[in-house]
Amino acid sequence: MKKFAAHFVFPVNSSPIAKGIVEVDPSGKIIQLIRPKGDLTEMAGMEFHNGILCPAFVNLFEEFTLLKFFTFFPELKEYESLLPHQHNGERAILEWMKAIQLKNGKLSLEKLIRLFSYESAKTIDLQNELGTLEAGKRPGLLLIYNMDYTNLRLTENSRLKRLI
């Protein structure tokens, strides 16, 4: 078993967990989410990362045309002009999320992550396996780092790394 910890864990189906831990088996299946009581202490097999952990983004641009994408996600239509030229893959989604947050201070990171993980998985009927960090699922695990941790906002320097 491997444990991943970070400043925050965004399970998507519940509120963010400060200093949360995601425990996974060798296949990437989530065993449990740990909400520490008090300070985070070292555990066997735990990696601590600076940033936030969240479920992997579903790349809807492979599943749908842009026209169909905006049918499912009309709230993002006003940000179509901010789409990166290459809008394929998780890094492109992060670039779009950064551009959206820099333009609109009201859209929370939690909401954007939910759109590109759970809501996207639901759109293609894969929400039972993807989209949230919860026991029994294999959603993949992303680390988003170099951000404004105080306000939980992306910055121009925010980056992404796939851990699982």
Side-chain angles (χ1 to χ4, degrees):
M1 302 301 154
K2 198 167 192 177
K3 297 175 184 86
F4 296 93
H7 293 294
F8 289 95
V9 173
F10 279 47
V12 177
N13 60 339
S14 62
S15 59
I17 304 167
K19 306 282 191 293
I21 303 166
V22 181
E23 184 176 6
V24 299
D25 73 8
S27 74
K29 182 172 142 184
I30 296 176
I31 303 301
Q32 67 176 327
L33 246 59
I34 301 169
R35 295 174 184 268
K37 293 174 176 61
D39 291 336
L40 184 66
T41 57
E42 284 194 43
M43 297 177 172
M46 184 172 78
E47 295 177 11
F48 183 84
H49 295 273
N50 290 318
I52 64 165
L53 300 175
C54 67
F57 304 140
V58 176
N59 191 353
L60 287 180
F61 302 117
E62 289 180 1
E63 300 288 330
F64 304 113
T65 64
L66 281 178
L67 181 62
K68 191 159 185 170
F69 173 81
F70 290 117
T71 302
F72 286 107
F73 300 97
E75 66 270 40
L76 294 175
K77 179 70 174 157
E78 71 179 281
Y79 306 108
E80 183 175 8
S81 65
L82 302 175
L83 264 168
H85 295 293
Q86 172 69 10
H87 51 266
N88 199 13
E90 294 165 336
R91 284 184 172 73
I93 291 172
L94 180 70
E95 291 304 312
W96 195 27
M97 289 169 57
K98 287 177 358 183
I100 290 169
Q101 275 215 312
L102 291 170
K103 180 174 180 162
N104 180 345
K106 294 177 186 167
L107 260 175
S108 72
L109 182 56
E110 188 174 1
K111 169 79 171 166
L112 288 169
I113 289 173
R114 182 177 174 79
L115 281 169
F116 287 105
S117 58
Y118 178 72
E119 296 299 332
S120 297
K122 196 166 75 172
T123 301
I124 57 175
D125 201 26
L126 289 176
Q127 71 273 16
N128 292 330
E129 186 66 20
L130 307 175
T132 59
L133 298 178
E134 57 186 304
K137 289 189 171 187
R138 286 185 181 82
L141 188 64
L142 299 179
L143 170 69
I144 300 174
Y145 60 99
N146 287 349
M147 52 179 284
D148 175 353
Y149 298 107
T150 304
N151 298 305
L152 292 177
R153 298 199 52 83
L154 299 172
T155 68
E156 288 180 12
N157 297 319
S158 294
R159 299 287 176 262
L160 176 91
K161 179 179 180 183
R162 184 179 260 277
L163 299 176
I164 298 176

